[in-house]
């Protein structure tokens, strides 16, 4: 194989290393009793009007469904039946062009928020309860971007290692085929 | 262009898988094993080309370079694309193993068809060669989009609506792939015509 072909192929192979993945990225975070779902394509391009289905992860029963807005955001309040069953919420987001992704919100995430509400109910005085509510709201507000960032970081994105491993696999398969053919040819030559 | 798991119906999945198995078998039979490194390198090119995200249009689309593979490899493009799709599923979670057959059929089918259709034009004048390169890149995406709309039609309702969305989101990539394939093919014809099995 000529050096020119190798050079051309190498050019084509290494162009996209800085490029990004192509699939729907979904992440969801809990703030209070509200779950926010954010869906986007690569390059933080929002998924327009994606179809969102929230299921009970154990039974697969559909708890609620809706459509994301133009910013790819969909918010919902944790359904009472999910809270009663302490069910993990499986959020399935489907785009119009055949793409689909999932995100799991474990029950512990929203039940943790719920327990703080119980503490609020047992407050000694109204002023204490009000103070707790205020603190809770402020903390939630402050934590929302951090929760979003944490959720975002949980996503699997292709990195250089994946890309190089894939290329290695393909070249390895070719090497294996060449080796097998050479072995076969040698075997045939020895038989003769 | 990668349909995810959990969207398509069982008959579509089964049909796609059968067609992909047949296409891959024909591809492996017709493959010139002396060109196995070319096949491997082009398969690797397809593998990473899908990472080039084109932020134009309503959806999110990426390069495929199916037309280029079809022109260079002919039927050999089928196994090359299917193996790369399989690795994309493993490493990037694109599509899925269950839908590998349908995705293979959608992407590799038009690539082979365009390769076979436009290959003869490469022996003509320079203008014809450029047109062949552009059409191979453009039409492979166009046909893939149509096949994708057909597959989604059985899972959803309203073919025209699905086809409209899929085609509209792929128009930029059709043009880009057409141009890339045109430039690569004309370059190869100038420096290494034997890669395209053309002896100028």
């Amino acid at each position: 194989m000529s050096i020119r072909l190798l050079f051309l192929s190498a050019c084509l192979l290494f162009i996209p290393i800085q490029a990004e993945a192509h699939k729907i990225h979904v992440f969801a975070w809990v703030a209070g009793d509200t779950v926010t779902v954010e869906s986007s394509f690569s390059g933080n391009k929002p998924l327009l009007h994606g179809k969102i289905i929230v299921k009970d992860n154990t039974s697969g029963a559909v708890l609620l469904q809706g459509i994301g807005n133009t910013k790819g955001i969909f918010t919902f309040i944790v359904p009472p039946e999910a809270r009663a069953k302490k069910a993990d919420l499986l959020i399935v987001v489907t785009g119009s062009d055949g793409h689909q992704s999932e995100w799991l919100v474990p029950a512990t995430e929203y039940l943790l928020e719920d327990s703080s509400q119980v503490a609020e109910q047992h407050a000694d005085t109204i002023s204490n309860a009000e103070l707790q509510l205020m603190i809770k709201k402020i903390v939630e507000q402050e934590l929302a971007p951090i929760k979003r960032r944490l959720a975002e970081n949980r996503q699997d994105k292709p990195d250089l290692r994946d890309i190089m491993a894939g290329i290695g696999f393909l070249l390895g398969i070719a090497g294996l085929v060449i080796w097998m053919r050479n072995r076969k040819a040698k075997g045939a030559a020895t038989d003769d | 262009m990668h349909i995810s798991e959990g969207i398509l119906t069982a008959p579509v999945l089964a049909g796609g898988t059968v067609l992909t198995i047949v296409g891959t078998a024909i591809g492996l039979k017709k493959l010139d094993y002396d060109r196995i490194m070319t096949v491997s390198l082009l398969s690797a090119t397809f593998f990473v080309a899908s990472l080039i995200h084109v932020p134009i249009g309503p959806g999110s689309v990426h390069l495929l370079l199916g037309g280029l593979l079809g022109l260079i490899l002919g039927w050999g493009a089928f196994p090359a694309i299917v193996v790369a799709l399989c690795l994309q599923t493993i490493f990037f979670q694109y599509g899925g193993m269950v839908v590998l057959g349908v995705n293979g059929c959608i992407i590799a089918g038009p690539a082979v068809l365009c390769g076979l259709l436009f290959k003869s034009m490469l022996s003509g004048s320079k203008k014809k060669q450029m047109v062949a390169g552009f059409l191979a890149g453009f039409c492979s995406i166009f046909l893939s989009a149509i096949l994708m709309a057909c597959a989604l039609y059985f899972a959803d309702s309203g073919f025209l609506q699905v086809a409209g969305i899929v085609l509209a989101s792929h128009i930029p990539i059709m043009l880009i792939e057409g141009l890339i394939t045109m430039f690569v093919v004309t370059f190869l014809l100038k420096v290494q015509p034997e890669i395209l099995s053309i002896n100028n």
Side-chain angles (χ1 to χ4, degrees):
Chain A
M1 185 177 299
S2 77
I3 291 168
R4 279 176 185 160
L5 175 62
L6 276 172
F7 175 72
L8 184 71
S9 301
C11 289
L12 282 169
L13 288 176
F14 289 99
I15 285 167
I17 282 171
Q18 292 177 336
E20 295 173 58
H22 169 66
K23 63 176 183 179
I24 297 176
H25 295 158
V26 181
F27 45 94
W29 65 97
V30 186
D33 56 355
T34 306
V35 180
T36 306
V37 184
E38 191 173 322
S39 327
S40 61
F41 284 116
S42 308
N44 289 328
K45 192 177 178 184
L47 171 69
L48 303 177
H49 310 299
K51 188 179 170 189
I52 288 117
I53 301 172
V54 181
K55 293 179 180 177
D56 179 338
N57 190 39
T58 319
S59 65
V62 175
L63 299 169
L64 62 95
Q65 49 187 315
I67 303 287
N69 64 14
T70 49
K71 290 179 179 173
I73 302 281
F74 176 73
T75 54
F76 66 91
I77 292 167
V78 178
E81 61 262 43
R83 186 161 277 158
K85 283 188 196 170
K86 295 183 180 175
D88 295 340
L89 304 175
L90 181 70
I91 299 163
V92 182
V93 180
T94 312
S96 55
D97 50 358
H99 294 111
Q100 184 171 287
S101 285
E102 295 175 352
W103 183 269
L104 186 71
V105 177
T108 46
E109 274 190 28
Y110 65 80
L111 288 174
L112 193 73
E113 301 283 346
D114 203 30
S115 62
S116 62
Q117 284 178 352
V118 175
E120 181 192 315
Q121 286 166 8
H122 289 286
D124 293 327
T125 62
I126 294 168
S127 59
N128 269 353
E130 280 175 351
L131 185 66
Q132 277 190 354
L133 191 67
M134 280 169 67
I135 293 169
K136 187 171 169 285
K137 277 189 177 169
I138 292 165
V139 170
E140 270 171 11
Q141 214 173 350
E142 294 296 317
L143 282 179
I146 297 166
K147 283 184 176 179
R148 185 191 173 281
R149 182 62 64 88
L150 282 172
E152 200 177 356
N153 286 343
R154 267 173 57 190
Q155 290 184 110
D156 291 329
K157 287 180 182 172
D159 54 19
L160 187 63
R161 197 173 53 180
D162 293 330
I163 297 166
M164 296 315 287
I167 296 168
F169 258 99
L170 290 164
L171 294 177
I173 292 168
L176 195 68
V177 172
I178 291 169
W179 175 73
M180 283 169 75
R181 282 182 64 80
N182 281 345
R183 206 166 160 236
K184 215 174 169 181
K186 268 186 190 173
T190 331
D191 289 343
D192 292 340
Chain B
M1 198 61 84
H2 301 67
I3 298 178
S4 305
E5 279 185 352
I7 288 181
L8 299 176
T9 53
V12 178
L13 291 171
T17 306
V18 170
L19 286 174
T20 297
I21 290 170
V22 172
T24 309
I26 297 172
L28 288 172
K29 204 174 176 187
K30 294 201 169 188
L31 193 68
D32 177 5
Y33 284 90
D34 291 334
R35 297 177 73 204
I36 193 72
M37 281 317 288
T38 312
V39 177
S40 166
L41 283 170
L42 284 165
S43 184
T45 305
F46 172 86
F47 172 74
V48 285
S50 302
L51 292 171
I52 303 181
H53 165 73
V54 180
I56 309 171
S60 174
V61 287
H62 55 84
L63 289 182
L64 287 175
L65 301 179
L68 181 67
L69 265 77
L71 279 177
I72 298 177
L73 303 176
W75 274 100
F78 220 110
I81 289 174
V82 170
V83 171
L85 277 174
C86 182
L87 290 173
Q88 283 180 344
T89 305
I90 295 165
F91 288 107
F92 310 147
Q93 291 82 47
Y94 286 5
M97 280 299 172
V98 179
V99 281
L100 183 64
V102 176
N103 284 332
C105 200
I106 287 172
I107 299 170
V112 172
L113 185 69
C114 288
L116 297 176
L117 275 176
F118 300 113
K119 183 108 178 191
S120 58
M121 285 172 75
L122 295 180
S123 319
S125 62
K126 199 181 173 190
K127 213 176 201 178
K128 256 189 172 179
Q129 291 170 351
M130 287 174 81
V131 171
F134 182 83
L135 286 178
F138 186 93
C139 294
S140 68
I141 300 284
F142 179 78
L143 293 173
S144 290
I146 296 283
L147 283 180
M148 189 179 175
C150 288
L152 291 172
Y153 166 67
F154 292 104
D156 213 310
S157 57
F159 172 77
L160 287 176
Q161 193 194 354
V162 176
I165 292 168
V166 172
L167 281 173
S169 61
H170 284 86
I171 286 171
I173 207 72
M174 283 177 209
L175 296 168
I176 292 169
E177 283 232 8
L179 291 172
I180 289 178
T181 311
M182 183 179 83
F183 284 120
V184 173
V185 165
T186 46
F187 173 73
L188 285 174
L189 283 169
K190 203 181 281 177
V191 300
Q192 197 91 30
E194 61 270 23
I195 291 173
L196 289 147
S197 312
I198 308 281
N199 297 312
N200 281 357

